[in-house]
Amino acid sequence: MKRKLTAAIGIAGMMVSIAACGGGDKSEGSDGGANAKELTVWLAVDAQNNWPELVKAADDAVKKKHPGLKIKHEYYGWQDKNTKLDAVLATDKTPDVVEMGNTEMLGYMVKGAFAPVDAAKFDNADQWLDGLKASVTYEGKTYGVPYYAGGRVANWRKDVAAAAGVKTTPKTYKELTAALDKIQKKQGDKFNAWYQPTRDWYAAMSFVYDAGGSIAKEEGGQWKANLSSPESLKGLNEFKTIVDKYMHGDKTKDESDRYIVYGQGKSAMIFGAAWEGAGAADPKNDKTGKLKDNLENFVMPGPSGNNIPVFLGGSDLAIPVKSKAQDLAAEWINALTGPEGQKGLMGKGNLPNNKADLATLKDDPATVVPATAAESNWFVPMAPGWGQVEKAQTLQTMLQSIGTGKKSVEDAAKEADAAIDKVINTK
């Protein structure tokens, strides 16, 4: 699943009226909405299409405690949701619960669009996955609840590996690169032993975090870019090595159509969202006719000797600050994201929001790979100006300069750090 911070963040103007509400306090004269008679919930169409029974179960649980309560649902596609949300947040007719892509949360938290919540009131909050917990936390307060997650894994073609004399799935980074070297030699210079789009900052930053680096660090309440640190440079240099050795396609591309390119049969491996292998093997994308029975997911090993930290995509549930039913909204969120809800979401192929449930997936051969990969994860800097960094595509520009050889790793990182430092602390 792919979520981008599209809301950065054109919400400044309409936030004037939100700020006037007290920046997160319950409405004046309100009891917190515990006795409200109606609840409005906005969810993505994923819930409507794939797990309507889980939504109904959450409704039923809350209605049982509050007889006569009416719960209204609206469903939206990801592309148009933020435009609709931005417009309604400027009015007094906001939804009480809204689903957000986890990378979308920050811009709204910075602007005061969501009410703070007490994490202790939500089941498994003490076990939330680190990357998901980071996505709902800003300046020490919690502004949402992780809903579910999607991880990243490596995927390769067993038939191509076998043809190069590789019979086993790599468990270490040394084994992986040795296998890729054999595949590259067997297939020739025009083949992508590893199709790794240069502008894919999710993958590149996994190498940075694996090496002990980071995009930025917070010190004394201020954020400072960290891509030029020795640790970050080590990760970026390793990423460049991968791109130079195994990626022989267009080095100005991003990852948006990676699964389609993979399906064309000129690549042996990708590292991306867990669904991408299956997407490539879809008959409409598989131009080889061989992928369905030959693709294998595996946990991506890191150069550090550990599993590489992966970016966790996913969804969060938040309560708009103007909601007049905040307490009921919190009850409904807990009903959907609690133990039974997580069990249901895992049954639909999602990763859970917490470590305890994630551990149970490691016992199932069908889910052990994404579950294991998700145990080590990272998230973007929760800095007020991060939305501006992402909107400017600073990381993508840096990576393209590195991958194409336009700039050295050191010079590109230094330039990116300077650009990040200009905006990262700006609300």
Side-chain angles (χ1 to χ4, degrees):
M1 120 190 10
K2 188 178 181 77
R3 306 281 158 78
K4 295 196 175 184
L5 189 63
T6 57
I9 293 199
I11 56 178
M14 66 90 179
M15 283 299 173
V16 173
S17 61
I18 290 178
C21 284
D25 295 329
K26 293 183 173 67
S27 301
E28 185 176 354
S30 168
D31 62 355
N35 296 314
K37 301 301 181 183
E38 186 173 297
L39 196 68
T40 300
V41 178
W42 283 16
L43 297 173
V45 292
D46 307 77
Q48 184 181 33
N49 296 334
N50 300 322
W51 49 85
E53 72 279 12
L54 303 183
V55 175
K56 184 179 184 302
D59 289 352
D60 292 344
V62 176
K63 287 180 178 179
K64 185 176 181 180
K65 292 177 61 178
H66 303 275
L69 176 67
K70 295 181 179 180
I71 302 179
K72 177 183 178 183
H73 294 281
E74 293 187 28
Y75 296 92
Y76 50 77
W78 286 105
Q79 292 184 339
D80 59 3
K81 182 262 301 180
N82 285 345
T83 299
K84 182 179 179 182
L85 179 61
D86 292 350
V88 77
L89 286 178
T91 74
D92 291 323
K93 297 181 179 180
T94 64
D96 302 297
V97 177
V98 61
E99 178 179 351
M100 303 292 296
N102 62 354
T103 60
E104 297 171 339
M105 284 291 294
L106 180 58
Y108 289 85
M109 293 190 294
V110 169
K111 298 298 182 181
F114 298 143
V117 299
D118 181 358
K121 292 183 178 180
F122 297 91
D123 294 323
N124 293 320
D126 61 339
Q127 290 285 311
W128 285 345
L129 298 179
D130 296 338
L132 299 185
K133 182 178 179 179
S135 75
V136 298
T137 306
Y138 180 66
E139 293 187 339
K141 292 185 178 181
T142 304
Y143 288 93
V145 176
Y147 181 9
Y148 63 91
R152 281 168 165 74
V153 299
N155 180 286
W156 78 350
R157 291 183 57 177
K158 294 183 292 183
D159 56 337
V160 174
V166 180
K167 306 297 185 181
T168 59
T169 306
K171 302 296 184 184
T172 68
Y173 192 69
K174 185 177 180 180
E175 291 176 356
L176 174 62
T177 54
L180 292 173
D181 289 341
K182 292 179 180 179
I183 292 170
Q184 193 68 69
K185 183 177 180 179
K186 175 72 175 180
Q187 296 293 332
D189 292 342
K190 294 184 178 180
F191 187 82
N192 302 298
W194 177 347
Y195 181 73
Q196 179 51 64
T198 308
R199 291 173 65 89
D200 177 11
W201 65 277
Y202 298 107
M205 293 305 106
S206 286
F207 280 89
V208 167
Y209 282 90
D210 181 70
S214 61
I215 300 171
K217 284 187 173 183
E218 184 180 18
E219 296 179 0
Q222 291 290 300
W223 287 85
K224 185 168 179 58
N226 193 49
L227 294 168
S228 295
S229 70
E231 296 83 3
S232 295
L233 289 175
K234 182 179 180 181
L236 289 171
N237 274 298
E238 188 60 39
F239 182 75
K240 176 175 171 55
T241 296
I242 291 300
V243 171
D244 287 347
K245 289 182 68 176
Y246 307 124
M247 168 64 178
H248 303 292
D250 183 350
K251 294 186 178 179
T252 67
K253 291 196 65 167
D254 66 15
E255 73 283 3
S256 58
D257 65 346
R258 171 172 45 212
Y259 70 102
I260 295 175
V261 175
Y262 194 31
Q264 293 170 356
K266 297 180 181 179
S267 312
M269 173 184 153
I270 58 173
F271 170 45
W275 58 265
E276 291 187 50
D282 188 300
K284 67 176 179 290
N285 296 321
D286 180 8
K287 306 305 181 185
T288 72
K290 303 176 181 178
L291 298 186
K292 181 179 179 181
D293 297 323
N294 281 303
L295 292 185
E296 179 183 24
N297 280 338
F298 60 95
V299 178
M300 178 66 189
S304 68
N306 300 312
N307 295 337
I308 203 165
V310 298
F311 176 84
L312 286 183
S315 281
D316 299 324
L317 297 174
I319 303 171
V321 72
K322 285 189 175 183
S323 166
K324 296 179 175 62
Q326 292 182 20
D327 288 349
L328 277 178
E331 286 187 41
W332 190 91
I333 290 173
N334 196 43
L336 183 63
T337 62
E340 288 303 311
Q342 291 301 306
K343 182 179 179 181
L345 288 165
M346 288 189 289
K348 299 294 184 177
N350 301 292
L351 293 178
N353 67 4
N354 67 90
K355 298 171 185 176
D357 285 327
L358 186 71
T360 67
L361 294 180
K362 295 175 67 176
D363 297 327
D364 185 343
T367 54
V368 62
V369 169
T372 301
E375 287 181 317
S376 177
N377 54 79
W378 62 272
F379 199 65
V380 300
M382 297 302 286
W386 174 252
Q388 297 180 59
V389 176
E390 202 169 327
K391 185 177 181 181
Q393 299 193 348
T394 302
L395 296 181
Q396 293 94 320
T397 299
M398 174 190 71
L399 293 170
Q400 183 171 323
S401 294
I402 291 171
T404 59
K406 182 179 179 180
K407 294 178 181 175
S408 68
V409 171
E410 292 76 10
D411 287 347
K414 184 177 180 180
E415 185 175 288
D417 276 350
I420 291 171
D421 283 338
K422 286 181 180 179
V423 298
I424 196 167
N425 291 296
T426 304
K427 291 187 178 183

Short mmCIF file of all heavy atoms in Angstrom, two decimals, residues 16 23 25 76 108 114 129 137 141 144 162 169 178 200-201 205 246 265 268 277 280 293 343 394 409 417 420 424:
data_model
loop_
_atom_site.label_atom_id
_atom_site.label_comp_id
_atom_site.label_asym_id
_atom_site.label_seq_id
_atom_site.Cartn_x
_atom_site.Cartn_y
_atom_site.Cartn_z
N VAL A 16 -7.34 28.16 10.13
CA VAL A 16 -7.57 29.31 10.99
C VAL A 16 -8.77 29.08 11.88
O VAL A 16 -8.76 29.34 13.09
CB VAL A 16 -7.77 30.58 10.14
CG1 VAL A 16 -8.18 31.75 11.02
CG2 VAL A 16 -6.50 30.91 9.37
N GLY A 23 -7.39 24.31 19.75
CA GLY A 23 -6.22 23.47 19.43
C GLY A 23 -6.24 22.10 20.04
O GLY A 23 -5.22 21.58 20.45
N ASP A 25 -8.76 20.84 22.43
CA ASP A 25 -9.64 20.64 23.56
C ASP A 25 -11.02 20.27 23.07
O ASP A 25 -11.43 20.60 21.96
CB ASP A 25 -9.73 21.92 24.40
CG ASP A 25 -8.41 22.26 25.04
OD1 ASP A 25 -7.64 21.32 25.34
OD2 ASP A 25 -8.15 23.45 25.22
N TYR A 76 -14.39 6.62 0.88
CA TYR A 76 -13.74 7.45 -0.13
C TYR A 76 -12.53 6.74 -0.72
O TYR A 76 -11.97 5.80 -0.15
CB TYR A 76 -13.27 8.78 0.47
CG TYR A 76 -12.48 8.62 1.76
CD1 TYR A 76 -11.16 8.21 1.73
CD2 TYR A 76 -13.07 8.85 3.00
CE1 TYR A 76 -10.43 8.03 2.90
CE2 TYR A 76 -12.35 8.67 4.18
CZ TYR A 76 -11.04 8.26 4.11
OH TYR A 76 -10.32 8.08 5.26
N TYR A 108 -1.56 17.24 9.40
CA TYR A 108 -2.78 17.58 10.12
C TYR A 108 -2.53 17.75 11.62
O TYR A 108 -3.14 18.59 12.27
CB TYR A 108 -3.84 16.50 9.86
CG TYR A 108 -4.38 16.55 8.45
CD1 TYR A 108 -3.73 15.91 7.41
CD2 TYR A 108 -5.52 17.29 8.16
CE1 TYR A 108 -4.22 15.98 6.11
CE2 TYR A 108 -6.03 17.36 6.88
CZ TYR A 108 -5.36 16.71 5.85
OH TYR A 108 -5.84 16.79 4.56
N PHE A 114 -6.54 17.51 14.52
CA PHE A 114 -7.04 16.35 15.23
C PHE A 114 -6.94 16.53 16.74
O PHE A 114 -6.03 17.19 17.26
CB PHE A 114 -6.26 15.09 14.84
CG PHE A 114 -6.38 14.73 13.39
CD1 PHE A 114 -5.30 14.22 12.69
CD2 PHE A 114 -7.58 14.90 12.71
CE1 PHE A 114 -5.41 13.88 11.35
CE2 PHE A 114 -7.70 14.58 11.37
CZ PHE A 114 -6.62 14.07 10.69
N LEU A 129 3.33 -1.09 17.01
CA LEU A 129 4.58 -1.15 16.26
C LEU A 129 5.22 0.24 16.24
O LEU A 129 4.54 1.26 16.11
CB LEU A 129 4.32 -1.61 14.83
CG LEU A 129 3.72 -3.02 14.67
CD1 LEU A 129 3.49 -3.34 13.20
CD2 LEU A 129 4.61 -4.06 15.31
N THR A 137 2.12 10.31 16.74
CA THR A 137 2.70 11.05 17.87
C THR A 137 3.36 12.32 17.39
O THR A 137 4.18 12.32 16.47
CB THR A 137 3.74 10.19 18.60
OG1 THR A 137 3.15 8.94 18.97
CG2 THR A 137 4.24 10.89 19.85
N LYS A 141 2.42 14.15 22.26
CA LYS A 141 1.00 13.82 22.39
C LYS A 141 0.59 12.83 21.30
O LYS A 141 1.20 12.78 20.23
CB LYS A 141 0.15 15.08 22.30
CG LYS A 141 0.30 16.03 23.48
CD LYS A 141 -0.68 17.20 23.36
CE LYS A 141 -0.58 18.14 24.56
NZ LYS A 141 -1.54 19.27 24.47
N GLY A 144 -3.91 9.94 17.27
CA GLY A 144 -4.61 8.95 16.48
C GLY A 144 -4.27 7.55 16.98
O GLY A 144 -3.48 7.38 17.91
N ALA A 162 17.77 -20.34 -9.92
CA ALA A 162 18.19 -21.73 -10.14
C ALA A 162 19.01 -21.88 -11.41
O ALA A 162 19.99 -22.65 -11.46
CB ALA A 162 16.96 -22.64 -10.19
N THR A 169 17.26 -19.81 -0.78
CA THR A 169 16.93 -18.41 -0.56
C THR A 169 17.96 -17.78 0.38
O THR A 169 18.30 -18.36 1.41
CB THR A 169 15.54 -18.30 0.10
OG1 THR A 169 14.60 -19.00 -0.71
CG2 THR A 169 15.11 -16.84 0.22
N ALA A 178 26.05 -12.43 -3.33
CA ALA A 178 26.73 -13.51 -4.06
C ALA A 178 25.78 -14.14 -5.08
O ALA A 178 26.17 -14.44 -6.22
CB ALA A 178 27.25 -14.56 -3.09
N ASP A 200 13.57 5.58 -5.37
CA ASP A 200 12.81 4.91 -4.32
C ASP A 200 13.44 5.21 -2.96
O ASP A 200 14.29 4.47 -2.47
CB ASP A 200 12.78 3.41 -4.60
CG ASP A 200 12.06 2.62 -3.51
OD1 ASP A 200 11.42 3.23 -2.64
OD2 ASP A 200 12.17 1.38 -3.53
N TRP A 201 12.99 6.27 -2.33
CA TRP A 201 13.60 6.69 -1.07
C TRP A 201 13.23 5.78 0.09
O TRP A 201 13.96 5.71 1.08
CB TRP A 201 13.28 8.15 -0.77
CG TRP A 201 11.84 8.48 -0.52
CD1 TRP A 201 10.88 8.72 -1.45
CD2 TRP A 201 11.20 8.66 0.76
NE1 TRP A 201 9.68 9.03 -0.84
CE2 TRP A 201 9.85 9.01 0.51
CE3 TRP A 201 11.64 8.56 2.07
CZ2 TRP A 201 8.94 9.25 1.53
CZ3 TRP A 201 10.73 8.81 3.11
CH2 TRP A 201 9.40 9.15 2.82
N MET A 205 16.39 4.71 2.23
CA MET A 205 16.47 5.06 3.65
C MET A 205 16.54 3.81 4.53
O MET A 205 17.05 3.87 5.65
CB MET A 205 15.31 5.95 4.05
CG MET A 205 15.32 7.33 3.40
SD MET A 205 16.88 8.26 3.69
CE MET A 205 17.66 8.13 2.06
N TYR A 246 23.50 -3.82 -10.14
CA TYR A 246 22.40 -4.70 -10.51
C TYR A 246 21.23 -4.03 -11.23
O TYR A 246 20.39 -4.73 -11.79
CB TYR A 246 21.86 -5.40 -9.26
CG TYR A 246 22.90 -6.10 -8.44
CD1 TYR A 246 23.08 -5.80 -7.09
CD2 TYR A 246 23.73 -7.08 -9.00
CE1 TYR A 246 24.04 -6.46 -6.32
CE2 TYR A 246 24.69 -7.74 -8.25
CZ TYR A 246 24.84 -7.42 -6.91
OH TYR A 246 25.80 -8.08 -6.16
N GLY A 265 9.63 -9.39 -16.98
CA GLY A 265 10.54 -10.52 -17.05
C GLY A 265 12.00 -10.20 -17.25
O GLY A 265 12.80 -11.10 -17.51
N ALA A 268 15.30 -10.01 -11.84
CA ALA A 268 15.28 -11.21 -11.01
C ALA A 268 14.79 -10.94 -9.60
O ALA A 268 14.36 -11.87 -8.90
CB ALA A 268 16.68 -11.83 -10.94
N GLY A 277 4.97 -8.45 -5.49
CA GLY A 277 5.24 -9.70 -6.18
C GLY A 277 3.96 -10.27 -6.79
O GLY A 277 3.93 -10.67 -7.96
N ALA A 280 2.89 -8.31 -9.79
CA ALA A 280 3.65 -8.64 -11.00
C ALA A 280 3.16 -9.95 -11.61
O ALA A 280 3.14 -10.11 -12.84
CB ALA A 280 5.13 -8.73 -10.68
N ASP A 293 4.26 -19.26 -10.34
CA ASP A 293 4.83 -20.38 -9.61
C ASP A 293 6.31 -20.21 -9.29
O ASP A 293 6.93 -21.11 -8.72
CB ASP A 293 4.64 -21.67 -10.42
CG ASP A 293 3.18 -22.03 -10.62
OD1 ASP A 293 2.40 -21.80 -9.68
OD2 ASP A 293 2.82 -22.50 -11.71
N LYS A 343 -7.64 -9.32 14.81
CA LYS A 343 -7.74 -10.70 14.34
C LYS A 343 -8.39 -10.74 12.96
O LYS A 343 -7.93 -11.44 12.04
CB LYS A 343 -8.53 -11.53 15.34
CG LYS A 343 -8.66 -13.01 14.96
CD LYS A 343 -9.44 -13.77 16.03
CE LYS A 343 -9.61 -15.23 15.65
NZ LYS A 343 -10.38 -15.98 16.68
N THR A 394 12.92 16.18 -1.98
CA THR A 394 14.34 16.38 -1.71
C THR A 394 15.12 15.06 -1.73
O THR A 394 16.23 15.00 -2.29
CB THR A 394 14.51 17.07 -0.34
OG1 THR A 394 13.80 18.31 -0.35
CG2 THR A 394 15.98 17.33 -0.04
N VAL A 409 28.09 10.84 -3.68
CA VAL A 409 27.21 10.60 -2.54
C VAL A 409 27.35 11.71 -1.52
O VAL A 409 26.35 12.25 -1.01
CB VAL A 409 27.53 9.23 -1.90
CG1 VAL A 409 26.76 9.07 -0.58
CG2 VAL A 409 27.19 8.10 -2.85
N ASP A 417 20.85 17.83 2.83
CA ASP A 417 20.82 18.30 4.22
C ASP A 417 20.53 19.78 4.29
O ASP A 417 19.73 20.25 5.12
CB ASP A 417 22.15 18.00 4.91
CG ASP A 417 22.22 16.58 5.46
OD1 ASP A 417 21.18 15.90 5.47
OD2 ASP A 417 23.32 16.17 5.90
N ILE A 420 16.89 20.38 3.50
CA ILE A 420 16.03 19.93 4.60
C ILE A 420 16.08 20.92 5.76
O ILE A 420 15.05 21.28 6.35
CB ILE A 420 16.45 18.52 5.05
CG1 ILE A 420 16.11 17.50 3.96
CG2 ILE A 420 15.77 18.14 6.37
CD1 ILE A 420 16.67 16.11 4.21
N ILE A 424 12.65 22.14 7.77
CA ILE A 424 12.17 21.05 8.61
C ILE A 424 11.59 21.50 9.95
O ILE A 424 10.78 20.81 10.55
CB ILE A 424 13.29 20.00 8.83
CG1 ILE A 424 12.69 18.69 9.35
CG2 ILE A 424 14.38 20.53 9.76
CD1 ILE A 424 13.63 17.52 9.32
#
